Amino acid sequence: MEKFLRDHPSKPRSKDEIQNTINRLKRIEGQVRGIQKMVEEDRYCVDILVQISAIQSALKNVGFSITERHINHCVSDAIKQGEGKETIEELMNVMKQFSK
């Protein structure tokens, strides 16, 4: 059976890290609900688009935060263990998807 780095994280997230990320995602969830309400109320298109842009930015920031953590812990540890090539390829594939 093949061993994957994702099955054995090098450093589990702290409770604070988890809670901070969850809080950010809950704020984004609230923003999405706000846009749904704006659509139901037939609000001005540009106002809705501004809010959509804000959500996209917030999601990208959460993604960048998680990416930074992944590089500092998982990728760094994999390189030290001689598994850097596979881990970097995995990260690059995700980054290509993330940047679409």
Side-chain angles (χ1 to χ4, degrees):
M1 187 159 125
E2 192 173 353
K3 178 185 138 194
F4 293 101
L5 182 63
R6 67 177 164 263
D7 297 328
H8 307 282
S10 60
K11 180 183 175 206
R13 289 175 184 87
S14 70
K15 289 184 181 194
D16 282 345
E17 281 180 296
I18 291 170
Q19 194 58 54
N20 288 339
T21 302
I22 294 295
N23 289 345
R24 291 171 81 180
L25 292 170
K26 284 182 178 182
R27 277 194 299 274
I28 293 167
E29 181 183 23
Q31 288 177 289
V32 171
R33 276 196 238 104
I35 290 176
Q36 290 171 337
K37 187 175 180 183
M38 290 174 78
V39 171
E40 289 169 356
E41 295 171 352
D42 198 24
R43 298 272 300 272
Y44 186 55
C45 296
V46 172
D47 293 341
I48 295 169
L49 292 169
V50 167
Q51 292 306 309
I52 289 171
S53 176
I55 290 170
Q56 289 171 327
S57 177
L59 278 172
K60 278 188 179 184
N61 285 332
V62 171
F64 288 139
S65 173
I66 291 172
T67 300
E68 181 178 24
R69 185 193 193 287
H70 181 64
I71 291 168
N72 286 326
H73 298 288
C74 303
V75 175
S76 175
D77 289 350
I79 290 169
K80 291 174 189 171
Q81 295 172 18
E83 299 173 7
K85 183 176 184 219
E86 297 88 357
T87 305
I88 290 169
E89 284 177 12
E90 177 187 54
L91 177 60
M92 290 308 299
N93 287 332
V94 170
M95 293 306 296
K96 288 174 189 171
Q97 193 174 10
F98 191 75
S99 66
K100 289 183 180 178

